[in-house]
Structure formats: C-alpha cells, structure tokens
Amino acid sequence: QVQLVESGGGSVQAGGSLRLSCATSGFPYNNHQMAWFRQTPGKEREGVALLFRSGASPLYADSVKGRFTISEDNGKSTLYLQMHNLKPEDSAMYYCAARPYGGSWNAWEMEADTFNYWGQGTQVTVSS
C-alpha cells in the first residue's frame, strides 16, 4: 500500500520557520522523483520544490527561492522541506508527491498531473 504522510505543518508568525516531513512507504522511493506542492482554496496546486538525484540543483518556485530547501533521507524514504522567513502568502496546504523516473513528461517541470502518488497534506498558516 502506497503511503505518503506529511507532518510538521502548523501556525507561525511571519519570519518564522517550519520543517515539513513526508514519510513514504509502499513504492520504490529511489525510483521516483519527489516534489513538494502547495494549494490554497480556489487555486490550482502549485509546485514548490523539485528534487533531482543526478546532482543537479533542486528546482524551486520563484516565490520561495532562497527561503525553502528540499532534501531527503534515502535510508528513511523521507522527504523534507525546510522553510525559513515564512510569509503570510506561504499559507497553504502542503503536499509531497512522487512520480516514477522515465515518464514522458519534462523532468525539469513540476506539473501536478504528472505526479501519481500524493500525501494527504499538512497545513501551514503564517500570520502577519
């Protein structure tokens, strides 16, 4: 059974930090490209950070560059998102997602439709 379980969300004041975790199981983690997305009510899911295992630098949304860092612990099949200097506009439900390598999509883009495994999300609320 495929599981992606996010944790670490919460309520913080602007300028604060949070570290999200995504514990995975039930699929070959190292054969999948991992990413973080976020979504607010009435808006489309937005790609936040995309991890590459080829040595390439991660891909970040312009709005989070320099503040967010994606990382992983392969041994624990766990994905992380360290968030610093949080802003009210970062408030959203955050999801981790996985897609297998070798698909027909552009591996350098974060199209939500190309990810087939999703967690249930963890809420991040940033107050001003």
Side-chain angles (χ1 to χ4, degrees), residues 52-110:
F52 298 95
R53 298 197 180 98
S54 60
S57 297
L59 179 68
Y60 295 99
D62 288 342
S63 58
V64 308
K65 282 181 182 176
R67 301 187 298 120
F68 290 13
T69 303
I70 187 172
S71 64
E72 65 179 352
D73 184 332
N74 295 80
K76 295 182 179 180
S77 299
T78 299
L79 185 72
Y80 302 101
L81 185 68
Q82 179 68 57
M83 305 185 293
H84 293 298
N85 191 21
L86 283 161
K87 304 176 180 180
E89 52 264 41
D90 294 319
S91 297
M93 185 72 78
Y94 282 72
Y95 301 89
C96 68
R99 65 186 178 190
Y101 287 112
S104 59
W105 47 79
N106 185 335
W108 297 91
E109 293 181 354
M110 287 184 280

Side-chain angles (χ1 to χ4, degrees), residues 27-34 53 74 99-102:
F27 67 97
Y29 179 83
N30 289 326
N31 290 347
H32 284 68
Q33 189 173 28
M34 303 298 297
R53 298 197 180 98
N74 295 80
R99 65 186 178 190
Y101 287 112

